[in-house]
Amino acid sequence: MDDGVVVRRSDSSDLRDACLWGVILIAAAAVRLYQLDWAALWYDEAFSRVMSTHSLGELWSISVSDVHPPLYYLVLKGWIALLGDGLIAMRGLNAFASVLTVGMGMWLTRLVSTRRAAVFAGILLVMLPIAVRYSHEVRMYALLAVWMTGATIALVYWMKAPSRYMPLVIYALLITAGLYTHYFAILGVLSHWLCLLAMRPMPNETAPRLILRPAWWLANLTIALLFLPWLPVFVAQLGQSSNLGWIHPVTLSAIPSALWQYLTLVNGAQWPALARWAPVPVLAGICIFCLLRDTRPERLSLLLVIYLWAPLLVIFVVSWQLPLFVARYFLFSALALPIVVGIALDDVARTRTGLAVIGCLILIGIEAFGMRNLYGEYDTTNADGHETQERINLIAEWIDHRYQPTDQVVVLNYFWYPSLVYYSRHAGKPLLYAPRVQGSGAECVVYCRFKAPYASGQDDFYLESLSHLPAGTARVWLVDGADATDFQLTLPCQWRWADTQIRGDNRLRLYDVRQGGSRPCPTP
């Protein structure tokens, strides 16, 4: 009779947990699908779309010109083949991946701590702004989070039962997928190694430490061998550090800035110093609290703390020589923040339930501020400190409604080109203004790397001089940034200005082209 009661209570508890998890996952899906097409497709996303049009063989060769490995582009290619290349369809891949990581984050929390901690973590993961932000972007960060969270789960299973080898097989495959998705996956591996290195054997344990076990070394050797075919490309990309010139040099405030971007999508640079630096001691205190309160034999909270902090600290140090510190690159480890906080709230709730609820509500409030920033366009995660208001979709719509057969669209900066091509429906093929370096006769200024995924040796979308428009052109639409100061543009004197439209960060100018032999003259 007693056994029956225990079973029924266990079944009831499991059902309640399943319902809670289901509600949390539905909420996560709702948050990530809400206004999925609200922001315009920007350059990096449009670049992903173009890359995904190539075959595996072509991707292998042209990815040398990129700074990322090709797996995300291949997954996106398959996703588009099933659902199409509409904006919601393409972004749906990352939205799905982000919802999956919410469930995986709860799973990981449950393995490390309690059911209640998993619920706390899930609630906080639902609205984690950095996760929602990059569930809306056609880039590889959300997919990397799936691989790395899954690999960490597999590692925990092996740490709990080292005699089982299947978790390490899964671990090796997921880490390999991570490395072929984004190179920062190596930071997750480093975190795992640091955790195993820091863990001490339990009393009376005679088996070797986990880090010394052959199975662990064999799993990592397998990862290295699976990545070996891509190693020459990786080495070649390392030699193209100029492609990273857009990343600002690191400063002492980089780490609190990244933590604020996790929670609010703004870097806090304009805030008072006390507020700007507050996340570091507060989060460090929460982590110490978790470590001190972890009485389980495995002490797996150490894994999560290292996983949260090690990627930030390692890249912070490296970036003093080679700037690599970009908040969105740490999305996979940022997911550990709500998990660690969820574990801490669970510990507090054991004696002070009200205090735990208040703490949870405070963090939800901070996350809500971040969500407001996301939809209020205060997002600085892609712009190194200034707000972005890309409206290339509205520029394309304006042109399409007024386009004439004798018009020519010219984009003055490659940053806007792929997005304009994506949104254009009626206008003819836009041209990219690509002036040659004076005296070289062959080398383009900034567009050589840009060319690779587009043309396979064809230059038919380049325009070297505004005086050399296609025959029969009567009007020219010039597209650039609203505050563009990249170069002194020279317009032919016979061009007559007709209209200027500003949409967010984008500018559109229309000129009537008068045929004649006038010499070019500079514009102010």
Side-chain angles (χ1 to χ4, degrees), residues 127 129 263-264 266 271 364-374:
M127 284 178 51
L263 295 170
T264 67
V266 294
W271 299 346
I364 289 175
I366 294 173
E367 292 182 334
F369 174 70
M371 296 298 291
R372 186 183 77 102
N373 290 339
L374 173 60

Side-chain angles (χ1 to χ4, degrees), residues 501-512:
Q501 297 291 325
I502 303 294
R503 297 291 185 273
D505 290 340
N506 303 106
R507 177 175 62 172
L508 174 66
R509 289 173 288 170
L510 175 63
Y511 289 87
D512 291 326

Side-chain angles (χ1 to χ4, degrees), residues 43 408-418 420-421 429-435 444 446-448 450-451 454 459-466 479 487:
Y43 169 73
Q408 179 60 60
V409 180
V410 178
V411 184
L412 299 180
N413 189 310
Y414 74 99
F415 188 84
W416 311 113
Y417 184 83
L420 185 70
V421 171
K429 182 177 183 179
L431 298 177
L432 176 62
Y433 179 55
C444 58
V446 293
Y447 305 104
C448 293
F450 170 87
K451 168 185 173 182
Y454 278 85
D459 293 329
D460 60 338
F461 64 96
Y462 283 119
L463 182 68
E464 295 184 26
S465 171
L466 294 177
V479 180
F487 48 79

Side-chain angles (χ1 to χ4, degrees), residues 120 124 289 340-350 355-357 359-360:
F120 273 129
L124 298 176
F289 176 78
V340 170
V341 172
I343 294 173
L345 290 174
D346 174 60
D347 283 331
V348 172
R350 295 174 186 176
L355 183 60
V357 171
C360 185

Side-chain angles (χ1 to χ4, degrees), residues 225-306:
L225 291 175
L226 291 173
F227 189 71
L228 189 61
W230 187 253
L231 187 60
V233 178
F234 174 61
V235 172
Q237 289 176 341
L238 285 178
Q240 300 178 13
S241 58
S242 60
N243 289 345
L244 301 174
W246 58 272
I247 302 179
H248 289 189
V250 74
T251 64
L252 290 176
S253 62
I255 290 179
S257 171
L259 295 176
W260 272 127
Q261 288 185 71
Y262 291 174
L263 295 170
T264 67
L265 300 180
V266 294
N267 56 28
Q270 305 303 318
W271 299 346
L274 184 61
R276 186 167 65 250
W277 281 89
V280 176
V282 171
L283 187 56
I286 291 172
C287 291
I288 293 171
F289 176 78
C290 286
L291 294 176
L292 293 177
R293 294 293 294 266
D294 189 356
T295 58
R296 297 183 175 223
E298 303 92 347
R299 296 182 63 83
L300 290 173
S301 58
L302 177 64
L303 170 63
L304 297 173
V305 170
I306 293 176

